[in-house]
Amino acid sequence: MSMSVTITAPSVKHILLDSLVVMKIVKHVDSELHAGISEVSGDACAGVLTGLVFLDDSRLEITNCFPTVRNEPVIDDDANAAAQYEEQKQQEMLDMLRKFRTMNIDYEIVGFYQSHQFGAGFSHDLVESMFDYQAMGPENVVLIYDPIKTRQGQLSLRAWRLSTAALDLASKNDWRPELVKAAGLTYQNMFEELPIIIKSSYLNNVLMSELALSKSYSSEKYSTRHFDLGSKKSLEKSVRAMMANVDELNKSIQSLTKYTIDKQRHDNMVFSMTQKRQQENEARAARGDPPLPMDDIKRQKAPQLQTRNGLLDELLASFDTNALADFSKTVTSENITKLFIAEAVAEEKVQGSKDRTLSSVSSTR
């Protein structure tokens, strides 16, 4: 991922998302979930977003999308087969963009989308993909779709992009604690979220209005799903994922504490050796002898943080935990509200049935 790129601050402040894109993303994810493809391959549903950038009003308009081909397992670690399959994927993507251009559809790539349960799933691969897309265009974003929350009655689509500081570190592929601290980077400012406005056509708005006013349209048939309280499994999964992330963070804290102690010890040793060498050189200069070099002191090996990607995994785990906590908080508050509404509706139905029973008894008398 390390490459020299010119980091430019993005100017887009909000996203105008076409309703067609929303429907295509939902259909793509649901079809793969029902078919069990995600469980077999282990990859998240992903696709490419196309649209236009309007710099005048700082708007990114996403007008279309299409799914990307899933990675096929490589047998016996065949590097040639993996390279051929990657080339085939790129060719299929270019063919789709060429068809968009022929059909007079917006064919400019403005990002990609992925589905993650509970709105979490920020990994090293996702950061690499975000860096590649933002290196192509600073206005590119990633849409994270949560199928669990959507099935519970609330559409969950959030747009993210790497901040300028995170993009700079990703270009260097160096996430050492010193550089992360110097950049002022935390899990809270590593990603930037953009507000999304979903746009529908006028004909679609007229159709929805006619359905709402139509007498044949029965809303009672679909009203019970909004009072669904069966989110125990999803809440349990999110809490278990949070526990796993917290365990990883505890291990990382131990490694970081050891690294900090070793770094302080190393710095103190280098400082004392430098002071001692300077005193020796002053004494040698007074005697007319040549000074001793400092190269052996500079070659003292500094301690290394015992993690694979520096602080990147810790930042991602913290952000992932924050996303899971937001999901749990939202689901819990919504369930409490639904519970009170369900109790009120049940009491009203019971009271109405009692009144009808009393009235029927009085009429028979």
Side-chain angles (χ1 to χ4, degrees), residues 45-325:
C45 300
V48 179
L49 302 172
T50 61
L52 295 172
V53 179
F54 296 89
L55 298 179
D56 296 336
D57 51 357
S58 302
R59 183 179 83 244
L60 172 62
E61 187 168 345
I62 302 175
T63 57
N64 214 322
C65 66
F66 60 90
T68 55
V69 183
R70 286 189 173 275
N71 293 324
E72 292 184 355
V74 179
I75 301 175
D76 297 332
D77 295 332
D78 190 352
N80 294 328
Q84 291 177 1
Y85 186 72
E86 187 66 28
E87 183 179 355
Q88 181 184 356
K89 284 180 60 179
Q90 295 295 330
Q91 187 62 38
E92 290 183 3
M93 185 185 300
L94 293 176
D95 290 342
M96 182 63 71
L97 294 175
R98 195 176 296 111
K99 292 176 181 178
F100 275 20
R101 183 176 182 179
T102 305
M103 298 172 63
N104 199 20
I105 301 175
D106 295 332
Y107 58 91
E108 181 182 352
I109 296 178
V110 294
F112 66 104
Y113 70 86
Q114 279 192 359
S115 67
H116 292 290
Q117 294 183 353
F118 318 117
F122 293 86
S123 60
H124 189 263
D125 294 336
L126 181 64
V127 172
E128 285 187 348
S129 300
M130 294 176 69
F131 170 75
D132 292 338
Y133 275 87
Q134 289 186 244
M136 290 191 302
E139 315 298 344
N140 291 351
V141 297
V142 55
L143 290 182
I144 302 296
Y145 170 69
D146 181 10
I148 302 297
K149 195 172 182 180
T150 302
R151 288 184 177 183
Q152 293 176 352
Q154 185 176 357
L155 178 65
S156 177
L157 267 173
R158 304 179 72 177
W160 300 94
R161 68 186 176 200
L162 287 174
S163 62
T164 305
L167 201 60
D168 186 30
L169 291 177
S171 64
K172 302 172 184 175
N173 197 18
D174 193 350
W175 300 87
R176 286 179 295 172
E178 295 84 6
L179 296 180
V180 173
K181 183 178 180 181
L185 192 66
T186 64
Y187 78 93
Q188 295 174 328
N189 59 8
M190 183 176 180
F191 299 95
E192 296 176 352
E193 184 176 8
L194 299 177
I196 298 176
I197 301 173
I198 298 178
K199 179 188 70 172
S200 298
S201 65
Y202 295 113
L203 292 176
N204 190 22
N205 293 333
V206 170
L207 175 63
M208 297 301 293
S209 301
E210 289 183 353
L211 287 176
L213 297 174
S214 176
K215 294 182 180 179
S216 61
Y217 178 76
S218 177
S219 61
E220 296 179 358
K221 186 188 303 181
Y222 307 99
S223 61
T224 55
R225 66 180 180 180
H226 299 293
F227 297 99
D228 182 20
L229 303 178
S231 58
K232 179 181 177 181
K233 291 184 179 180
S234 60
L235 189 60
E236 182 179 351
K237 286 183 179 179
S238 64
V239 173
R240 288 185 182 277
M242 276 193 289
M243 292 171 62
N245 286 338
V246 170
D247 290 340
E248 291 296 327
L249 287 174
N250 286 332
K251 295 178 182 178
S252 302
I253 288 173
Q254 295 176 4
S255 300
L256 184 60
T257 303
K258 184 178 182 302
Y259 168 78
T260 304
I261 295 174
D262 293 342
K263 186 73 168 55
Q264 278 185 334
R265 187 183 296 114
H266 173 266
D267 293 342
N268 292 334
M269 182 184 67
V270 170
F271 178 77
S272 62
M273 292 176 65
T274 304
Q275 293 292 326
K276 185 178 180 181
R277 183 61 55 86
Q278 288 177 353
Q279 293 176 0
E280 291 179 359
N281 288 337
E282 290 176 359
R284 291 175 65 89
R287 295 194 304 266
D289 297 333
L292 297 175
M294 297 283 188
D295 296 339
D296 56 337
I297 299 177
K298 295 179 181 179
R299 285 196 297 267
Q300 293 291 328
K301 188 176 181 181
Q304 299 292 328
L305 182 62
Q306 299 301 318
T307 55
R308 184 177 56 183
N309 301 308
L311 290 182
L312 176 59
D313 294 333
E314 287 71 26
L315 293 171
L316 293 175
S318 301
F319 195 85
D320 221 36
T321 306
N322 186 57
L324 291 168

